[in-house]
């Protein structure tokens, strides 16, 4: 079974803090994703990494950055947390593919509250 | 870019009732279609997917979905729901050969015992 783990289930941070969300997958997947999930908006893609050190911006990258130094690990960084970044953050991974048919496997999510 | 519309925000059913969740997308080219489910406190997981062939796709836990190309729709169905089907359901679409999935807003399904 594919396993995607996220470092925290719940986080509470203060406005202006730098926040790190970590994601690890154990299936040697090349592609990894960070989404945020908000009620009524579904999942929105923040960043995508197609291989180590490679990244692409998603639909809502503002205020976020990412790091992928190792294949199994993909970090999301909130440079200076703001209250509008309070959300559920989901990490996903999938094997490399060109058809777009590959299943994405999701982690349990990190619920972040920024005060 | 694709957009995905799920018609119902919240559906409440009794056990043994039939379920149908609507999903429409806007994209003129070839697409891959997915339904994901998130049970309370659990990971988002794949229910079923369609990319070619028979437009009626069967997934896990008795779910099925039908792709109607002319209507740009991919509705999810289950003939008889159980209390354990209480969850949030997401439709997702990507253009063929694209990694990027567009998700609908989700439909919360509550099944009353």
């Amino acid at each position: 079974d594919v396993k995607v783990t996220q470092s925290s289930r719940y986080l509470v941070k203060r406005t202006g803090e730098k926040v790190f969300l970590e994601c690890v997958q154990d299936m040697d997947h090349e592609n990894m994703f960070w989404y945020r999930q908000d009620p009524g908006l579904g999942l929105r893609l923040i960043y995508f990494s197609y291989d180590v050190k490679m990244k692409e911006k998603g639909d809502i990258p503002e205020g976020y950055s990412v790091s992928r130094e190792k294949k199994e690990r993909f970090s999301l960084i909130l440079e200076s947390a703001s209250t509008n970044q309070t959300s559920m953050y989901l990490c996903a991974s999938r094997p490399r593919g060109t058809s777009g048919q590959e299943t994405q496997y999701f982690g349990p999510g990190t619920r972040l509250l920024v005060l | 870019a694709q957009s995905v519309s799920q018609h119902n925000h919240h559906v409440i059913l009794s056990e043994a009732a039939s379920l149908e969740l609507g999903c429409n997308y806007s994209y003129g080219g070839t697409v891959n279609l997915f339904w994901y489910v998130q049970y309370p406190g659990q990971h988002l997981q794949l229910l079923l997917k369609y990319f070619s062939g028979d437009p009626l796709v069967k997934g896990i836990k008795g779910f099925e979905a039908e792709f109607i190309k002319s209507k740009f729709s991919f509705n999810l169905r289950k003939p008889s729901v159980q209390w354990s089907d209480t969850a949030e359901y997401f439709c997702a679409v990507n253009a063929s050969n694209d990694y990027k999935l567009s998700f609908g807003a989700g439909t919360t399904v509550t099944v009353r015992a």
Side-chain angles (χ1 to χ4, degrees):
Chain A
D1 272 355
V2 176
K3 195 166 182 185
V4 181
T5 56
Q6 296 182 228
S7 51
S8 305
R9 292 299 301 268
Y10 301 95
L11 269 182
V12 180
K13 297 291 181 181
R14 297 211 173 271
T15 303
E17 279 193 76
K18 192 168 186 175
V19 182
F20 294 85
L21 303 182
E22 304 285 338
C23 174
V24 177
Q25 51 94 2
D26 67 357
M27 283 302 291
D28 204 35
H29 286 169
E30 287 79 10
N31 300 164
M32 295 187 76
F33 305 79
W34 274 107
Y35 296 89
R36 62 177 282 176
Q37 181 182 3
D38 298 289
L41 296 177
L43 278 71
R44 292 178 292 165
L45 181 65
I46 305 171
Y47 265 98
F48 163 63
S49 170
Y50 49 95
D51 211 332
V52 176
K53 297 190 187 294
M54 309 304 280
K55 62 186 179 185
E56 280 188 19
K57 292 180 181 179
D59 296 321
I60 50 164
E62 295 79 19
Y64 304 95
S65 61
V66 290
S67 172
R68 184 130 181 241
E69 297 297 317
K70 293 186 177 181
K71 192 174 186 180
E72 68 271 18
R73 188 180 298 270
F74 191 33
S75 302
L76 179 70
I77 303 151
L78 286 66
E79 298 290 343
S80 177
S82 63
T83 55
N84 63 13
Q85 293 178 309
T86 290
S87 186
M88 170 71 92
Y89 290 87
L90 297 180
C91 176
S93 75
R94 68 160 212 183
R96 188 201 314 271
T98 57
S99 66
Q101 299 162 8
E102 300 78 13
T103 299
Q104 291 190 21
Y105 296 88
F106 286 84
T110 296
R111 190 169 292 281
L112 173 67
L113 173 63
V114 182
L115 299 174
Chain B
Q2 313 88 276
S3 68
V4 182
S5 174
Q6 292 184 239
H7 311 303
N8 307 99
H9 178 63
H10 194 180
V11 173
I12 302 173
L13 300 164
S14 297
E15 276 194 311
S18 64
L19 172 69
E20 180 160 359
L21 302 182
C23 173
N24 286 90
Y25 65 93
S26 64
Y27 182 72
T30 304
V31 293
N32 302 308
L33 298 148
F34 304 78
W35 275 98
Y36 281 85
V37 61
Q38 189 171 35
Y39 298 103
Q42 293 190 27
H43 303 200
L44 203 66
Q45 60 185 282
L46 182 72
L47 261 184
L48 48 78
K49 62 182 177 181
Y50 171 82
F51 41 87
S52 66
D54 187 344
L56 186 62
V57 180
K58 295 197 185 295
I60 61 171
K61 306 190 180 194
F63 284 90
E64 64 180 30
E66 184 176 13
F67 171 51
I68 303 180
K69 190 174 181 180
S70 60
K71 294 185 177 180
F72 298 89
S73 71
F74 190 54
N75 292 355
L76 181 71
R77 298 194 292 251
K78 185 170 183 178
S80 177
V81 295
Q82 301 172 313
W83 177 81
S84 57
D85 293 321
T86 294
E88 191 162 16
Y89 294 80
F90 293 92
C91 181
V93 176
N94 65 356
S96 183
N97 303 324
D98 190 3
Y99 68 86
K100 189 176 169 184
L101 274 181
S102 295
F103 284 83
T107 299
T108 301
V109 173
T110 301
V111 180
R112 292 184 171 153

